[in-house]
Amino acid sequence: MARKKTSDQLTPLEMELMQVLWQTGPATVQEVLAHLPKDRDLAYTTVQTILNLLNKKEKVRRIQVDGDRALRYEAAVTRRSAARQAIGDLLGRVFGGSAESMVLSMVESGVLTPRKLAELNQLVAESKKSEEEGHGS
C-alpha cells in the first residue's frame, strides 16, 4: 500500500506552532515562542527550525517586512484545511478509511456523547434541508 508523503503531514509540534500563527497572524520566531504555553520549554533555534521546515512544506510563508531585520512567518494554509488533512490521515491510518468506525469509536470512548451526536444529526438535517431548498429556487 502506498504511503502518503510524510512531508504533507504535520507533527504535533508543527501543529502547535501553526495554532500560534492562526491565532496571532504573521509573527517572528520570538513572537511565536512568546505565545507558546509557559511550561513549553523550547529553544529559539528549535522554533526557528520548525518554522523553516513548515516553510519548506509550504504550510507557512516567510515575509520580510520593510525596515525590520526579523523575518515574519504567516500560515499559508487555513486551520480548516490542516484539520481536514489531519482527519483524513487519521481516518486512513487508524480506521481504514471508515468514517463510521471513527464515529463509533468516538461514541464508545465518550468523546462524542449521545447528546452531542443528536446535535450533530440536527445540523446535518438542517444543512441537507437548506441545500435542497437552494437547488429548488
Side-chain angles (χ1 to χ4, degrees):
M1 173 163 66
R3 286 191 54 154
K4 196 173 187 180
K5 281 186 354 189
T6 55
S7 64
D8 287 345
Q9 299 166 7
L10 294 177
T11 66
L13 181 53
E14 289 171 339
M15 187 62 86
E16 194 174 344
L17 299 187
M18 291 298 295
Q19 295 286 354
V20 171
L21 293 176
W22 289 320
Q23 177 188 343
T24 65
T28 64
V29 173
Q30 191 63 46
E31 291 165 344
V32 170
L33 198 52
H35 280 86
L36 291 172
K38 299 301 174 213
D39 62 342
R40 194 70 159 114
D41 193 24
L42 292 175
Y44 178 96
T45 53
T46 301
V47 173
Q48 184 176 41
T49 298
I50 299 301
L51 287 170
N52 286 329
L53 286 171
L54 286 166
N55 181 64
K56 205 173 198 178
K57 290 182 176 186
E58 299 181 345
K59 304 299 182 185
V60 302
R61 285 185 283 273
R62 286 189 287 220
I63 307 165
Q64 182 72 56
V65 179
D66 292 335
D68 194 358
R69 248 189 61 192
L71 286 172
R72 298 184 87 67
Y73 294 83
E74 74 174 348
V77 295
T78 63
R79 186 185 311 249
R80 176 174 277 185
S81 171
R84 194 175 304 124
Q85 186 172 356
I87 290 167
D89 178 56
L90 178 69
L91 192 63
R93 283 186 306 112
V94 179
F95 299 100
S98 169
E100 294 83 0
S101 292
M102 187 167 109
V103 171
L104 182 59
S105 177
M106 292 171 71
V107 170
E108 289 172 345
S109 67
V111 170
L112 187 57
T113 64
R115 179 179 176 187
K116 187 52 101 174
L117 191 56
E119 289 173 17
L120 290 172
N121 279 327
Q122 181 65 34
L123 287 172
V124 168
E126 289 170 7
S127 175
K128 187 176 179 182
K129 184 178 178 187
S130 69
E131 234 179 64
E132 289 170 355
E133 290 171 355
H135 290 306
S137 25

